[in-house]
Amino acid sequence: MLLFAVPVGFIINYFHINSITIFIVNFIAIIPLAIMLSYITKEIVLRAGNILSGLLNATFGYVSLLLICLNII
């Protein structure tokens, strides 16, 4: 899904198609990225201590939400 949605998002943006369509395609592209980021964070948590793991979860847990909010503005 990631390999399909990212190029389609660029193409739709290049041709200046409806901005809602651009948002939906880019939103779909963020979903696999958020899943991969969650997996990576969990793997780091297993190898790090409690304080560092809490900091990583708080920092990287909201990256996808931040990207969505920046896209809306």
Side-chain angles (χ1 to χ4, degrees), residues 2 6 26 28-39 64 67:
L2 177 65
V6 172
N26 289 329
I28 291 170
I30 289 176
I31 294 171
L33 292 173
I35 292 170
M36 287 191 302
L37 187 62
S38 171
Y39 175 75
S64 59
L67 290 173

Side-chain angles (χ1 to χ4, degrees), residues 5-71:
V6 172
V8 170
F10 281 118
I11 292 168
I12 289 174
N13 189 27
Y14 179 75
F15 289 116
H16 301 291
I17 298 177
N18 187 5
S19 62
I20 294 173
T21 307
I22 296 170
F23 175 78
I24 290 171
V25 170
N26 289 329
F27 180 79
I28 291 170
I30 289 176
I31 294 171
L33 292 173
I35 292 170
M36 287 191 302
L37 187 62
S38 171
Y39 175 75
I40 291 169
T41 305
K42 288 178 185 176
E43 289 297 317
I44 293 173
V45 165
L46 292 175
R47 292 166 176 79
N50 289 335
I51 295 173
L52 184 61
S53 64
L55 179 65
L56 288 173
N57 278 331
T59 304
F60 293 127
Y62 294 105
V63 170
S64 59
L65 296 174
L66 179 65
L67 290 173
I68 292 170
C69 291
L70 290 176
N71 195 8

